[in-house]
Amino acid sequence: MAHLCLILFVSSDFSSFDLSPLKEAEIIVGDYNLIAPHLYQLPKLKWVQGTWAGLDSLWPHIDRQAPPKFPITRTSGENFGTLMREYVIANMVFWERNYFKAIENQKAKLYDRDVSPNDYRSIADLKVAILGVGSIGSIIGRSLKGLGATVYGMGRRATIPLEAPENAYLEKYYTKTGLGHLLSSVDYIVNVLPKTPETTNILGNGMLKHCKNKNVVFINIGRGNVLTELELVQALNEKWISGAILDVFEKEPLPQESQLWTLPNIFITPHISGNSRAQDIAEKFRINLARFEKNEPLVNQVDFDKGY
């Protein structure tokens, strides 16, 4: 059976668009912020393939008591995991070897071999906590394990079989109740958690105090809701953590008046650790279209109850 499909890779204002063509669509591939406001106005929709992994732009337009009857799928999984593990590993290497300072020295034409200490920590020396051991977090964890790091994980499941091959990269597994002990045991925290009510402020209320005196670096590539900016600033000022590599924030774009711009020991990127590349979106759509045609379960289908 043929299905009408509209591809919406546009970033301009969609509010004044004539919805008449969309009302005939059975399949739509599009950015959530563009299509989400119109989901309940499209009677023939059978499936929406989103172009992003995060659902922040989707939820304000979803009635949790009466969610859409058609599936919505995310562009997530191995493609984002591959890109985000490169971000994590590259920044760990730059941080531990002080290459950020070397960049400044280059601009100043300063040849200083002491910029990188002789006793810097190799990735193989590090203990790393992955907060969120789903498809993306597992790819990051396996790569770090392959480089010799000791990897701990935290997830929402009560327990996971560490002896299973897919979990072999994990030294230990924790749930939210053991988060304080986990944070006191590691050198790096890598947050990959989605934005849900359960993850909001999970690192707040002084939780990062467990890292004090451990020279811990916080890498956030998940969502900025895990703690407020004020608490992150406090954690840095009180030296509960020694630094932060931040790709996501409580408010985006990060306001110019934010203290994070001027604090030392912070590296900021504008939510680019795992971009939605056109080739990855097309491949995810190809896979799901084949499954859709066969009436098989779709990959990365949004669970309206879990929130991701």
Side-chain angles (χ1 to χ4, degrees), residues 8-12 14 31 33-34:
L8 305 175
F9 292 131
V10 291
S11 57
S12 57
F14 199 53
D31 294 350
N33 63 319
L34 301 175

Side-chain angles (χ1 to χ4, degrees), residues 101-113:
K101 178 62 177 176
I103 292 173
E104 296 178 15
N105 287 353
Q106 180 180 341
K107 294 177 181 178
K109 301 179 181 179
L110 177 61
Y111 189 86
D112 178 14
R113 297 190 73 245

Side-chain angles (χ1 to χ4, degrees), residues 107-151:
K107 294 177 181 178
K109 301 179 181 179
L110 177 61
Y111 189 86
D112 178 14
R113 297 190 73 245
D114 292 333
V115 68
S116 186
N118 290 330
D119 60 347
Y120 62 72
R121 297 182 297 185
S122 164
I123 288 180
D125 299 323
L126 300 175
K127 295 180 180 179
V128 183
I130 306 291
L131 308 186
V133 288
S135 58
I136 293 173
S138 295
I139 290 173
I140 295 170
R142 283 193 290 269
S143 294
L144 289 171
K145 175 69 173 179
L147 291 171
T150 302
V151 182

Side-chain angles (χ1 to χ4, degrees), residues 32-33 35-40 56-63 68:
Y32 296 125
N33 63 319
I35 194 60
H38 312 290
L39 288 176
Y40 290 93
D56 301 32
S57 298
L58 179 68
W59 292 128
H61 304 281
I62 297 293
D63 182 348

Side-chain angles (χ1 to χ4, degrees), residues 88 92 128-132 140 144 188-192 218-219 221:
V88 169
M92 281 183 171
V128 183
I130 306 291
L131 308 186
I140 295 170
L144 289 171
Y188 272 77
I189 305 164
V190 181
N191 176 54
V192 200
F218 174 49
I219 300 180
I221 54 174

Side-chain angles (χ1 to χ4, degrees), residues 250-261:
E250 184 182 16
K251 182 178 180 181
E252 296 182 7
L254 183 64
Q256 290 190 348
E257 62 271 18
S258 169
Q259 297 181 66
L260 297 176
W261 288 113

Side-chain angles (χ1 to χ4, degrees), residues 70-81:
F70 50 82
I72 299 176
T73 52
R74 303 178 298 129
T75 297
S76 186
E78 185 175 353
N79 56 306
F80 279 118

